């Protein structure tokens, strides 16, 4: 009679609470199934009860089916739970026998380490297999109340439903007819890929570019929007600049066509010591992205290659940060300067019982089943976030220069004092002018007299030195492509022109403009192998001719010519007078 009453009480309890999880776990996550074979039951309390934990993952969950008697879910029932529901491999759980009557709220506030200390009767499951299955067993002698947490999960997992949960043994059937000797439970995770970073120079898909020293460069730091961005507590771009680049600030930060607001949606932190800029989405910024980018529009670019070519549209948006920089006077002319970025992120946060907010308006579990972050992220000891993404493939920027020597008709004659204006194309009317960047790049040549009146905003006028040499540093040239492959980065060329405005003494000013080419090796012979400029490239000769010789006048011949002329004139006058007298 006593045993019969006990069975009835257990059955009523199971009916009220769904049969699988104990009362305090029920609001947290009812677990459901549709049985094909029926529950495994016994009339007597079983010697051992086996708990099969089937771990699921999905992009999102939309339905909760009432679980009856811990039966196994059918494939059809799995599909009904949400979007892209599949088993999750690689998860472990840890169980604790609760001996002090602690409530769920109390247990959820405890860290794993605190649970380990307080509840010494505990253990871990094996890793879930390809079907998402792992299990543990409780003997009749150890029956009681157990608290189960998710101990580790793949780093792509951001939130969990149905964990942690409370489960009590022995467990009766929902109809009070006996005891369950095997129970199937289905805790669920929301999973998404990591954010994918990429980087452009100036425009979509451009991975290299050439600039005059001091000219503005716009790098674009790009990151995909994971489907579970609503669970993120950190999303931060890290970019470290080479010493050959100067940091000039952050421009627009965009999601699709929308521009975010600095300090409200993101913050900027530049360290001159580490030469690193960090652009971090704030809590409000993360919420803005979650609220304004539907789940269906997130994560449209799956890898670097797709993101590299993708336009930032509202239908398939990503996060785009404009990083402003410029090449400085430390640049090795012709040597590509690499730049990469990576993303630090936390797609989970807090303790194992801390609730996470689902994306507004999206398919999510019904009220009463909040998501929680996995208990222990798979990170090194002491870490509480996944590692950063791998750095992006590098993009490259570079600049060039040119060396000259002024020579006479004999190339061994080096000529000083020739002056030239500089033009960036053959038809240009206005000569190129000095900028602060070009002044810094050419400061040594300016100091040795190889330029005339070098002042910002004034025309650039080159001047040959006593050995005939002159040069220009910091000129851009045209890349042959935009792929950003190191093997070809820095290749390309651009034609510039000199117009001589003053010739060396005794020489004729050249009428035509002098064409020259700036390329990877026009200033340094082997730029990719050196750390500072050597200027060892062969200079281009600029040849001048002497003025032509004109015969000298005013010598003895002139005197003879004048005397002879006067004599003839005198004879003519004498003749005229004689004729008059005769007449």
């Amino acid at each position: 009679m006593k045993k019969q009453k006990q069975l009835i009480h257990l059955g009523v309890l199971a009916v009220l609470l769904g049969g699988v999880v104990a009362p305090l776990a029920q609001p947290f996550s009812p677990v459901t199934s549709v049985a094909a074979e029926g529950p495994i039951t016994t009339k007597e309390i079983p010697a051992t009860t086996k708990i099969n934990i089937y771990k699921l993952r999905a992009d999102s969950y939309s339905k909760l089916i009432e679980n009856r008697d811990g039966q196994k879910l059918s494939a059809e029932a799995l599909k009904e739970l949400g979007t892209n529901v599949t088993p999750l491999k690689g998860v472990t759980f840890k169980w604790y026998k609760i001996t002090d009557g602690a409530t769920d709220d109390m247990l959820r506030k405890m860290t794993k380490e605190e649970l380990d200390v307080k509840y010494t009767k505990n253990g871990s499951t094996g890793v879930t297999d390809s079907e998402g299955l792992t299990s543990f067993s409780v003997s009749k002698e150890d029956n009681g109340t157990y608290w189960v947490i998710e101990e580790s999960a793949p780093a792509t997992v951001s939130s969990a439903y149905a964990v942690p949960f409370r489960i009590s043994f022995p467990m009766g059937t929902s109809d009070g007819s006996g005891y369950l000797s095997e129970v199937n439970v289905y805790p669920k995770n929301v999973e998404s890929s990591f954010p994918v970073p990429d980087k452009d120079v100036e425009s979509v898909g451009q991975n290299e570019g050439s600039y005059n020293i001091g000219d503005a460069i716009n790098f674009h730091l790009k990151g995909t929007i994971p489907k579970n961005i609503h669970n993120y507590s950190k999303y931060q771009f890290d970019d470290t600049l080479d010493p050959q680049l100067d940091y000039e600030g952050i421009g627009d930060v965009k999601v699709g066509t929308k521009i975010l607001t600095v300090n409200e949606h993101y913050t900027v932190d530049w360290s001159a010591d580490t030469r690193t800029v960090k652009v971090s989405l704030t809590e409000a910024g993360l919420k803005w992205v979650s609220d304004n980018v539907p789940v269906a529009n997130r994560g449209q670019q799956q890898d670097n290659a797709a993101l590299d070519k993708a336009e930032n549209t509202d239908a398939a948006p990503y996060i785009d940060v404009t990083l402003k920089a410029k090449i400085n006077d430390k640049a090795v002319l012709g040597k590509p300067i690499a730049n990469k970025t990576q993303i630090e992120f936390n797609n989970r946060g807090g303790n194992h019982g801390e609730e996470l907010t689902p994306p507004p308006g999206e398919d999510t579990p019904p009220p009463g089943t909040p998501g929680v972050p996995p208990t222990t992220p798979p990170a090194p000891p002491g870490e509480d976030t996944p590692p950063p993404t791998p750095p992006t493939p590098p993009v490259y920027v570079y600049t060039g220069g040119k060396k000259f020597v002024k020579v006479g008709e004999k190339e061994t004659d080096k000529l000083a004092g020739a002056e030239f204006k500089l033009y960036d194309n053959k038809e240009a009317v206005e000569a190129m002018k000095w900028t602060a960047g070009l002044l810094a790049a050419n400061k040594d040549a300016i100091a040795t007299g190889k330029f005339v009146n070098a002042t910002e905003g004034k025309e650039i006028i080159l001047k040959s030195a006593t050995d005939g040499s002159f040069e220009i540093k910091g000129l851009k040239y045209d890349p042959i492509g935009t792929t950003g492959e190191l093997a070809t980065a820095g290749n390309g060329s651009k034609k510039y022109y000199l117009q001589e405005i003053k010739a060396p003494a005794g020489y004729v000013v050249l009428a035509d403009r002098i064409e020259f080419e700036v390329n990877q090796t026009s200033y340094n012979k082997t730029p990719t192998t050196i750390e500072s400029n050597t200027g060892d490239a062969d200079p281009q000769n600029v040849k001048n001719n002497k003025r032509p010789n004109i015969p000298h006048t005013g010598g003895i011949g002139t005197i003879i010519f004048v005397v002879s002329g006067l004599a003839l004139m005198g004879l003519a006058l004498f003749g005229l007078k004689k004729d008059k007298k005769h007449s």
Side-chain angles (χ1 to χ4, degrees):
M1 185 69 178
K2 184 177 180 181
K3 184 179 293 186
Q4 186 176 4
K5 287 183 178 180
Q6 186 182 30
L7 289 173
I8 291 170
H9 291 159
L10 286 171
V12 172
L13 182 64
V15 170
L16 291 173
L17 301 178
V20 172
V21 291
L24 292 173
Q26 176 71 17
F28 204 80
S29 178
V31 185
T32 64
S33 66
V34 177
E37 302 176 355
I40 301 174
T41 63
T42 63
K43 294 294 184 181
E44 303 291 333
I45 295 175
T48 301
T49 304
K50 184 179 182 182
I51 300 90
N52 295 322
I53 303 176
Y54 286 90
K55 189 63 177 175
L56 305 178
R57 52 79 49 214
D59 294 343
S60 63
Y61 294 100
S62 58
K63 188 174 182 180
L64 214 58
I65 308 170
E66 185 184 1
N67 183 36
R68 308 291 294 183
D69 293 333
Q71 300 172 62
K72 187 175 180 180
L73 282 171
S74 66
E76 291 74 18
L78 284 176
K79 291 179 181 178
E80 293 178 8
L81 292 174
T83 305
N84 298 325
V85 180
T86 57
L88 181 58
K89 183 180 178 181
V91 180
T92 60
F93 296 86
K94 190 163 187 177
W95 51 264
Y96 300 87
K97 186 173 183 180
I98 306 304
T99 57
D100 60 358
T103 66
D104 279 24
D105 286 340
M106 294 166 61
L107 294 170
R108 280 198 295 268
K109 292 176 182 178
M110 297 176 67
T111 65
K112 175 179 173 293
E113 290 72 21
E114 290 170 336
L115 289 168
D116 288 342
V117 171
K118 189 165 186 179
Y119 303 108
T120 56
K121 190 167 187 61
N122 58 60
S124 297
T125 68
V127 178
T128 55
D129 60 19
S130 59
E131 295 186 355
L133 173 63
T134 187
S135 63
F136 70 99
S137 297
V138 175
S139 67
K140 180 178 180 179
E141 293 72 27
D142 288 327
N143 280 344
T145 298
Y146 286 77
W147 183 251
V148 181
I149 70 170
E150 192 170 289
E151 188 172 28
S152 69
T156 50
V157 168
S158 64
S159 66
Y161 298 91
V163 284
F165 61 87
R166 179 189 293 262
I167 190 166
S168 297
F169 306 98
M171 183 175 292
T173 61
S174 60
D175 61 4
S177 62
Y179 297 94
L180 300 173
S181 61
E182 188 167 342
V183 181
N184 298 290
V185 295
Y186 289 83
K188 301 175 284 293
N189 281 114
V190 172
E191 185 183 30
S192 182
S193 59
F194 292 149
V196 175
D198 192 59
K199 192 161 193 177
D200 290 332
V201 182
E202 299 298 343
S203 60
V204 170
Q206 181 174 332
N207 297 318
E208 61 178 282
S210 186
Y211 297 84
N212 291 341
I213 286 180
D215 283 359
I217 303 170
N218 290 311
F219 291 114
H220 289 273
L221 322 183
K222 304 191 298 186
T224 57
I225 302 173
K227 291 189 180 295
N228 56 345
I229 188 71
H230 53 281
N231 288 339
Y232 274 53
S233 59
K234 182 178 185 178
Y235 193 114
Q236 173 181 294
F237 290 93
D238 295 345
D239 197 294
T240 301
L241 294 180
D242 188 281
Q244 299 170 91
L245 296 173
D246 285 346
Y247 172 71
E248 294 290 296
I250 295 296
D252 287 342
V253 176
K254 300 176 72 174
V255 177
T257 61
K258 309 298 190 302
I259 299 175
L260 303 187
T261 304
V262 66
N263 295 328
E264 179 183 353
H265 298 128
Y266 66 93
T267 59
V268 178
D269 178 26
W270 162 252
S271 170
D273 292 337
T274 62
R275 302 191 55 76
T276 299
V277 62
K278 297 178 182 290
V279 180
S280 306
L281 291 184
T282 62
E283 183 178 351
L286 287 165
K287 185 177 187 302
W288 188 96
V289 176
S290 176
D291 289 350
N292 289 277
V293 181
V295 170
N297 293 1
R298 302 175 192 172
Q300 295 295 306
Q301 307 83 20
Q302 298 298 314
D303 52 31
N304 293 109
L307 183 57
D308 185 51
K309 303 297 183 184
E311 296 289 345
N312 198 6
T313 65
D314 291 336
Y318 50 82
I319 301 169
D320 180 353
V321 176
T322 301
L323 167 59
K324 296 181 177 294
K326 64 183 180 183
I327 301 175
N328 60 40
D329 60 331
K330 298 183 183 71
V332 176
L333 306 184
K335 185 175 185 176
I337 304 167
N339 187 249
K340 305 175 184 180
T341 195
Q342 65 181 162
I343 298 172
E344 288 188 58
F345 65 97
N346 189 354
N347 60 350
R348 50 182 73 169
N351 296 329
H352 60 270
E354 183 178 330
E355 296 184 8
L356 297 177
T357 305
E362 300 298 331
D363 289 341
T364 58
T369 58
V372 297
T375 306
T376 306
E383 300 289 338
D384 61 357
T385 60
T389 64
T392 61
V395 296
Y396 298 97
V397 292
Y398 38 87
T399 190
K402 185 68 176 180
K403 296 180 72 66
F404 307 91
V405 62
K406 184 69 171 175
V407 298
E409 293 173 353
K410 294 180 180 180
E411 293 189 357
T412 54
D413 295 336
K414 312 298 184 185
L415 307 178
E419 296 179 7
F420 304 86
K421 288 185 178 181
L422 175 65
Y423 296 86
D424 61 2
N425 69 74
K426 191 173 184 178
E427 311 303 327
V429 175
E430 291 189 1
M432 291 181 64
K433 293 180 171 60
W434 285 110
T435 64
L438 289 175
L439 285 168
N442 292 279
K443 59 182 180 293
D444 291 340
I446 292 171
T448 56
K450 292 184 179 181
F451 291 96
V452 177
N453 190 24
T455 305
E456 187 171 356
K458 299 291 187 181
E459 291 180 330
I460 298 174
I461 300 176
L462 298 83
K463 183 178 181 180
S464 60
T466 54
D467 61 355
S469 67
F470 60 106
E471 64 179 38
I472 183 70
K473 294 165 70 174
L475 297 182
K476 67 181 179 181
Y477 56 97
D478 301 325
I480 60 172
T482 60
T483 60
E485 297 293 332
L486 181 58
T488 57
N491 289 345
S493 65
K494 176 176 170 56
K495 290 179 179 179
Y496 289 85
Y497 296 85
L498 297 175
Q499 179 68 64
E500 189 170 47
I501 59 173
K502 181 180 178 181
Y507 287 80
V508 178
V509 172
L510 298 174
D512 295 331
R513 288 187 176 179
I514 303 146
E515 181 181 285
F516 68 93
E517 185 177 282
V518 174
N519 57 40
Q520 189 169 34
T521 57
S522 57
Y523 193 88
N524 300 306
K525 276 187 177 180
T526 56
T528 59
T529 65
I530 58 178
E531 298 301 322
S532 60
N533 290 306
T534 57
D536 58 353
D538 294 332
Q540 178 172 325
N541 287 350
V542 180
K543 188 175 181 179
N544 275 70
N545 294 319
K546 290 184 176 181
R547 294 181 184 277
N549 289 326
I550 299 174
H552 183 59
T553 59
I556 187 65
T558 303
I559 296 172
I560 294 172
F561 178 78
V562 172
V563 170
S564 298
L566 291 173
L568 288 172
M569 290 176 67
L571 288 171
L573 288 171
F574 177 78
L576 286 172
K577 287 181 178 180
K578 187 175 180 179
D579 287 342
K580 276 187 176 184
K581 188 176 181 180
H582 181 72
S583 298

